Amino acid sequence: MAPPLIQLKDIALTFGGTPLLSGVELSVSQSERVCLIGRNGSGKSTLLKIAAGLVEPDSGSRFVQPGATIRYLPQEPDFAGFATTLAYVEAGLGPGDDRYQARFILEQLGLRGDEDPAMVSGGEARRAALARVLAPSPDILLLDEPTNHLDLTTIEWLESELDSRRSALVIISHDRRFLSNLSRSTAWLDRGQISQIDRGFSA
Ligand SMILES: Nc1ncnc2c1ncn2[C@@H]1O[C@H](COP(=O)(O)OP(=O)(O)O)[C@@H](O)[C@H]1O
Ligand SMILES: [Mg+2]
């Protein structure tokens, strides 16, 4: 069997008093589609940031298959330093990515590319952030609340776009229909521990 693209082992992290994560494992293989669920404050966003390499756990290991490409959609995207949505999206492209995709995906998401990121609405901000992770073709997409602020048409577009891609997915979302339609395995965070089953959210 092929090694996982990302593997987190025995992750522990405490902010202040009680441990947020302890003994957490998460493994994502090629083309796998995982939904990461749990109550508000259970540590989903933090675990996704650890998977993205943006937060260091207190202990545990993070393995990423050499050469594997990752894109991470934050719950709160930061546009600081970018004059236009196009510049923001282009900055997310990697060396092997098709530069034309930045404009193409922005247009698909109803943006022109010349919007000032400081002036856009919540929905436009989310669409620009999605364009930034969808313009490339990464091996793994880590998505924190991708449907927030989106209208139903855009959610449906996003669903079929993700479904058509070969990227492995890890998705945090409150949108049950979105999770049911896309996920094929489920990781459930509860009181610091994680359980993973190889059935989608609908199961
Ligand atoms: N950098 C941080 N410093 C201190 N506490 C944090 C930090 N990041 C997250 N937390 C806390 O960790 C808990 C889990 O947060 P989060 O991972 O965002 O959960 P979820 O995404 O499941 O709602 C929350 O109580 C939050 O306040
Ligand atoms: Mg969160």
Side-chain angles (χ1 to χ4, degrees), residues 173-193:
S173 177
H174 285 99
D175 187 329
R176 291 161 168 267
R177 203 188 57 98
F178 186 77
L179 289 183
S180 298
N181 290 343
L182 279 172
S183 65
R184 296 186 192 131
S185 76
T186 304
W188 179 44
L189 261 183
D190 184 35
R191 285 160 289 182
Q193 315 266 306

Side-chain angles (χ1 to χ4, degrees), residues 8-9 40 52 66 74 84 124 189 196:
L8 303 178
K9 277 191 174 166
N40 275 338
T84 63
E124 288 169 328
L189 261 183
Q196 195 167 355

Side-chain angles (χ1 to χ4, degrees), residues 20-26 34-40 42-44 47 170-171 176 185-199 201:
L20 181 62
L21 306 171
S22 66
V24 167
E25 317 268 316
L26 183 69
V34 189
C35 65
L36 179 56
I37 61 172
R39 285 193 197 89
N40 275 338
S42 59
K44 302 181 298 296
L47 183 59
V170 182
I171 305 173
R176 291 161 168 267
S185 76
T186 304
W188 179 44
L189 261 183
D190 184 35
R191 285 160 289 182
Q193 315 266 306
I194 199 165
S195 326
Q196 195 167 355
I197 58 161
D198 58 1
R199 293 200 291 169
F201 183 82

